Structure formats: C-alpha cells, structure tokens
Amino acid sequence: MIRQHHLVTRFTHRQIRTFNSSSINQSNLPVVPLWINGQAVTSSSSESVIHKHSKTGEESCKVVVAGEEETKQAIEGSRKAFEQWRDVNGWERKGILQNVVKLLKERSNTFTEALRADASFADIVISGDQMSAIHLTEGAAETAISVEGTIPQTKDGNFSMILRQPYGPVLSIPAFNYPLTLAMRSIANPLACGNTILLRSSPLLPQFFGLLGPLFQDSGLPKGALQTLNFSDKDVPERVDQMISHKDVRMINFTGSVRLGKILAAKCGEHLKPSLLELGGKSVAIVLPSADLKLAANNILFGAFFNSGQVCMATEQVLVHSDVAAEFEKVLKETAEEANWSEGMEMVRPGSGNGAKALYDDAVKEGAKTLYSSSSMSASSSSPTSFPPTIITSLSSRSKLFREESFAPLLSIHTFKSNKEILDYSNSHLTGLTSSIFTTDFNEAFKLSEKLEIGAIHINGMTIHDQHNLPHGGWKESGWGRFNGKGAIESFTQTKNIRFVNNPINFPLDAIYKGL
C-alpha cells in the first residue's frame, strides 16, 4: 500500500533551502517523491536511492523510486484521469497550459536552483532552456484548439466525418540535456491533444523533475493526468517493459540516443504500440564557396559547443567545399580563439569526459589532427565530467568518432571537391535529424536541401533550432513522428471515420454463395 504524505505537496520549496549545505548526512537530505494521482508519494514498495551531483560527487537528495505496485497504480490512475481529460474541450486545455506558462515564469528561480542542485549547467543554457520551454508550451496551448477533423467527399453521397482523437495514457521519456524544454514538450504536446501522461523522470535530474507534478496540478490539470515516476537504474528495463506492455498505456514518446531508441522501438513493436522517437545523429553543417565564412564559423561553433555539445541537434561535422576549405579553417580557428574558452566544458552524465577523451584519443590514433583546442593538449585536460572544446581534421573513417555521435564538445571538418560529394557523404549516414547550409546562393541551397535525407535544413543558420509551429523530428535512424503544431496533432491523435448512410439498402444475401 502506498503511503502518501499530504504535507509535501510543496516539498520542493523546503528541499531547495538545503541545496547549498556543504555537509548533509543522508537523514537530512531532501526527499524527491513520486507524483501519483495528484499526491507526493514519499515511500514505496521499492528502495530509495541517493543522488550525487554529477560534478562534485556530493550527495544532493534521496529519491523515492517506483516499484511494480506504484507503477501499476500510476497506470491505472492515468487511465482513470483520461476518461475525464479527453472530454475537456480544447479551450479549457489551452487555459490550463497558459497557466503552466505563467507558473513557469514565476518559478523560474526554483527550477534553476533545482537544476544546479543536481548537475552543472551554464547560465546561457538555463536561460535559453527556460525561454524555449515557455515558447513551446505557449505553442502547445494553441495546439489544443487546433485539433480538427475533416469531412471528405464520398463517391456514394453518404456523409462521413473523420475525427482526430487522443490515444489515452502516453508514456513520455524526455532527455536530460535541455531539461525544461524537452520535459515540457513531452508533456504539453500530448496533453494538448487530450492524452494523459506517465512521465519517466531522468535519474540525472531528480529534483528538477520533482517540480513538474505540482506545477501542472497548480495550473489546473486534473489529478492523475500527469504521473511522475522515478526508477532505479537496475529496475529501469523491468519498469519500462511493465508500462509498454500494459494494455492501458497506448503510446510512447522518447527523446534520446539511437541505441536506446532502437530498444524502445523493438519493445513497442512487440506490443504494437505507436511511438514517437526523436533521436540523435551526426548533424552536418555544409559550407559552400559563396558562404559568409565569418557567419558560418560563428554559427557552427555555437551549434557545436552550446551546452558542451550535449544537444541532439548539435553540429558534429562541417562539410566544406575545397574551394574555400583552407580559408574557412583559418577563420574557424581564429573565431574559436577569440571566444577565450576555458580548459574544459562541463557535462552532465558521469563519465562523459572520459567518453569524449576516448573518442578523441581513438581519432588521433587513426590519424586525426587537432586544428583547435581550448587546451594545449585536449586529452590531458579532460576530467570525468568535462572536455575542452576541440576541432579536428583528417578524421579517418576507421575512427569511432566518424560513426558515433559524441554528445560532447568535439567537432570534425571534412573537405569535398563538389556539392555531389557533399550530398553523397551526408546521405551516407544512417541518421538525419538536422543540418545547416551556408551560402549566398539560395537556388543552390534549395536544390541541395531537396535531396538531403534530413528532417530539417537551416540555410545560413545553426543546426540547433526548435519552434512550436515547425514539425520537429528526424529521418532514418534519427527517429519518426513529429513534435510541435500539426506534427504533434498527427503524432498524438489517431483518426476515426464515422459514416452516415443516407440511403440504406438491403443486400442480396442469397447471392453470396452463387457461383462458388
């Protein structure tokens, strides 16, 4: 039986007062509860786990994790809430999501403190994340009143209407790297379309995710329409399998790596559950001969090293035409040096620095050259959670970095003699999420864009971009389905055909067996 502590509805405000304590024993650590059926659940059938700050290694909070029983109750509660939420009209849903936007603004400092209590994020990342989250939630509010059906023509004169209706409880698994934006996108889009949400929180940011349940309930969302579940690392496969296989969980959306996306897609296929997968890739920036090289250098560096490269849309590779390759490398290096970056850029996942170092070392072993590093020696200046922003050339196809998304501040440059070579190389990748083309010849850019096997192409803009009315998602192994606007409506609703027969007829039953 779940024990519920009704006095911890605002638990997050008390826990923030303890965030900066330098020496806290476990009994004094703030507790991050589950959020089930509108209540903060402070104990469960499973154990609690201690979260440690990714950079300092200090214990920051105690996390209540869901066992089989709590997960079952959350699913059942989500289904019950769906029976109410699906009948709430779009204008009321819009109003609730607008309330969410208002509270997001009022509680921005609270979200900032919670993030910093769990991990290291730069000021520009936090402020950009909050602005983006507000923008996308405002867009989801508009989506709520944009869900529309159609009345198609029929050949027999009968009347048909095509409705778009929600699936039901949706399992949402957002990524950690742009936390507020990705969390809000995975919650607000399906809610706007009439679904309810089972949110799997990130184990890297438990205190941040603990704020979301109270936020939506305070905005007027019915109890149970958003459930937030924490899982221990060892139980994640079992609990996620429990949810996907449950008859009442009707859809899954996931933002994360290709590797995990494939595992979830296979599990969804096993149970014939629809899914929306926004996965990563090795996003390319193409620099053509007519490009403004300084603009290209600025946008490419920002797109590569923003949030320490921890962005699914981050620029991983520059594909530059040989006519301007030497000059562009010079401009790119000068622009990077002018930025005056420090030795290393902090990352969130434990071991990320070591992973980036391994990719770099392997690339150098296979013949890569360092064009720029904020440290004189990239490999020696890394730490378990950081790595210096680094640009390399002569990357061999034998190296791991050639094939794998780094999710770190690593950028490689590749030179080609023609646009066709650039196109062939780009399309040879198994992924295709986003890209950039830098040129002043828009006809050339458009022709190239038409043939790129990529979900988004930004001409004279960086690879990182998201807007509430523009469909967001990838091609090939970068996933399927779309967030935002009409894309969200198509992803988070299903069609239903209702046909009215104007002139009913009786069919000749005796003719069924004739001629057999």
Side-chain angles (χ1 to χ4, degrees):
M1 184 72 178
I2 294 178
R3 288 181 294 173
Q4 297 175 333
H5 196 318
H6 297 272
L7 299 179
V8 293
T9 302
R10 300 277 184 175
F11 77 95
T12 49
H13 298 289
R14 289 206 304 279
Q15 77 185 60
I16 282 172
R17 287 200 291 269
T18 70
F19 281 167
N20 296 321
S21 301
S22 57
S23 58
I24 309 173
N25 61 45
Q26 289 189 8
S27 63
N28 291 327
L29 287 174
V31 176
V32 179
L34 306 168
W35 187 260
I36 299 177
N37 297 327
Q39 297 291 340
V41 178
T42 57
S43 64
S44 75
S45 61
S46 188
E47 79 281 11
S48 296
V49 296
I50 302 300
H51 176 71
K52 294 182 180 181
H53 192 280
S54 61
K55 180 181 179 180
T56 67
E58 294 182 0
E59 296 177 348
S60 64
C61 61
K62 182 179 180 181
V63 184
V64 180
V65 299
E68 181 179 359
E69 177 61 24
E70 291 76 34
T71 303
K72 178 175 177 287
Q73 290 189 25
I75 294 171
E76 292 173 347
S78 187
R79 177 64 197 185
K80 183 178 179 181
F82 173 65
E83 300 297 329
Q84 173 189 356
W85 182 244
R86 68 180 175 184
D87 293 331
V88 173
N89 68 59
W91 294 98
E92 290 182 51
R93 293 180 199 154
K94 176 182 178 180
I96 290 170
L97 290 173
Q98 287 175 327
N99 291 340
V100 172
V101 171
K102 180 181 178 182
L103 290 184
L104 278 175
K105 294 176 180 178
E106 292 177 359
R107 299 179 185 181
S108 62
N109 290 338
T110 302
F111 277 96
T112 297
E113 290 180 50
L115 274 181
R116 292 216 162 111
D118 289 331
S120 294
F121 285 92
D123 290 344
I124 190 173
V125 174
I126 292 176
S127 61
D129 182 28
Q130 291 184 353
M131 287 189 291
S132 174
I134 287 168
H135 168 75
L136 291 180
T137 307
E138 288 173 337
E142 294 301 317
T143 297
I145 59 171
S146 302
V147 180
E148 298 175 342
T150 58
I151 301 177
Q153 296 185 49
T154 59
K155 66 177 183 178
D156 55 10
N158 290 320
F159 178 80
S160 285
M161 61 171 64
I162 311 300
L163 307 182
R164 295 211 72 101
Q165 295 189 319
Y167 283 97
V170 171
L171 169 59
S172 290
I173 308 176
F176 69 89
N177 50 302
Y178 216 42
L180 191 57
T181 295
L182 299 179
M184 297 307 296
R185 186 179 72 178
S186 72
I187 299 170
N189 275 289
L191 278 180
C193 295
N195 303 281
T196 52
I197 311 299
L198 293 152
L199 182 71
R200 186 257 163 140
S201 70
S202 170
L204 299 171
L205 305 171
Q207 296 179 91
F208 164 83
F209 274 86
L211 298 171
L212 296 173
L215 172 77
F216 276 85
Q217 186 159 301
D218 290 349
S219 299
L221 188 69
K223 292 181 178 181
L226 171 61
Q227 318 270 18
T228 303
L229 298 172
N230 314 312
F231 299 134
S232 64
D233 289 342
K234 69 180 182 64
D235 288 341
V236 168
E238 185 177 355
R239 295 285 75 78
V240 171
D241 180 75
Q242 178 186 352
M243 288 192 285
I244 294 177
S245 63
H246 197 287
K247 64 180 179 61
D248 286 335
V249 176
R250 299 298 176 84
M251 188 197 167
I252 292 84
N253 78 83
F254 169 75
T255 300
S257 70
V258 173
R259 182 184 65 83
L260 290 177
K262 288 182 177 181
I263 294 171
L264 284 169
K267 184 59 63 176
C268 290
E270 180 183 342
H271 296 283
L272 292 178
K273 298 290 177 74
S275 59
L276 190 167
L277 304 175
E278 195 262 84
L279 311 178
K282 292 192 69 68
S283 297
V284 300
I286 297 169
V287 181
L288 300 178
S290 67
D292 179 333
L293 298 186
K294 289 186 177 180
L295 173 71
N298 172 275
N299 277 242
I300 287 169
L301 291 173
F302 197 95
F305 300 140
F306 178 73
N307 199 17
S308 307
Q310 301 169 115
V311 183
C312 57
M313 297 176 281
T315 309
E316 288 254 344
Q317 304 170 97
V318 184
L319 314 184
V320 59
H321 197 287
S322 58
D323 287 357
V324 291
E327 184 181 359
F328 177 71
E329 286 186 13
K330 179 176 179 290
V331 172
L332 188 68
K333 182 178 181 181
E334 290 174 349
T335 306
E337 289 171 343
E338 290 168 1
N340 293 319
W341 286 312
S342 60
E343 289 279 303
M345 289 184 166
E346 282 294 326
M347 291 175 278
V348 174
R349 287 185 296 199
S352 292
N354 295 335
K357 179 181 182 297
L359 287 173
Y360 173 81
D361 288 347
D362 177 71
V364 171
K365 177 184 175 182
E366 296 293 344
K369 307 298 181 185
T370 303
L371 176 70
Y372 165 83
S373 173
S374 64
S375 166
S376 58
M377 292 184 65
S378 296
S380 65
S381 61
S382 64
S383 76
T385 59
S386 71
F387 194 82
T390 302
I391 306 170
I392 61 178
T393 62
S394 305
L395 183 65
S396 169
S397 59
R398 298 185 302 273
S399 64
K400 294 179 181 178
L401 185 59
F402 186 88
R403 303 180 302 274
E404 298 177 10
E405 180 184 21
S406 70
F407 221 63
L410 280 165
L411 176 67
S412 61
I413 301 177
H414 308 259
T415 302
F416 301 90
K417 294 180 180 178
S418 68
N419 287 5
K420 184 179 185 306
E421 287 186 1
I422 290 174
L423 180 65
D424 290 345
Y425 175 83
S426 179
N427 287 345
S428 71
H429 290 310
L430 295 175
T431 55
L433 182 59
T434 184
S435 62
S436 296
I437 300 176
F438 293 93
T439 178
T440 55
D441 186 336
F442 291 133
N443 183 54
E444 178 184 46
F446 185 74
K447 287 182 178 179
L448 195 58
S449 297
E450 284 187 303
K451 295 180 180 179
L452 283 169
E453 297 172 350
I454 295 172
I457 296 98
H458 306 285
I459 299 169
N460 294 327
M462 69 170 173
T463 56
I464 300 174
H465 183 269
D466 200 2
Q467 185 173 313
H468 78 79
N469 61 332
L470 299 179
H472 181 73
W475 284 32
K476 300 185 290 187
E477 289 191 4
S478 286
W480 52 65
R482 296 294 182 263
F483 287 102
N484 303 339
K486 290 183 179 179
I489 294 171
E490 291 170 359
S491 293
F492 291 109
T493 63
Q494 53 193 330
T495 60
K496 178 183 287 182
N497 174 25
I498 300 177
R499 175 172 169 262
F500 296 86
V501 180
N502 294 328
N503 298 301
I505 62 173
N506 291 313
F507 292 95
L509 299 178
D510 62 332
I512 290 176
Y513 281 92
K514 289 182 178 179
L516 295 180

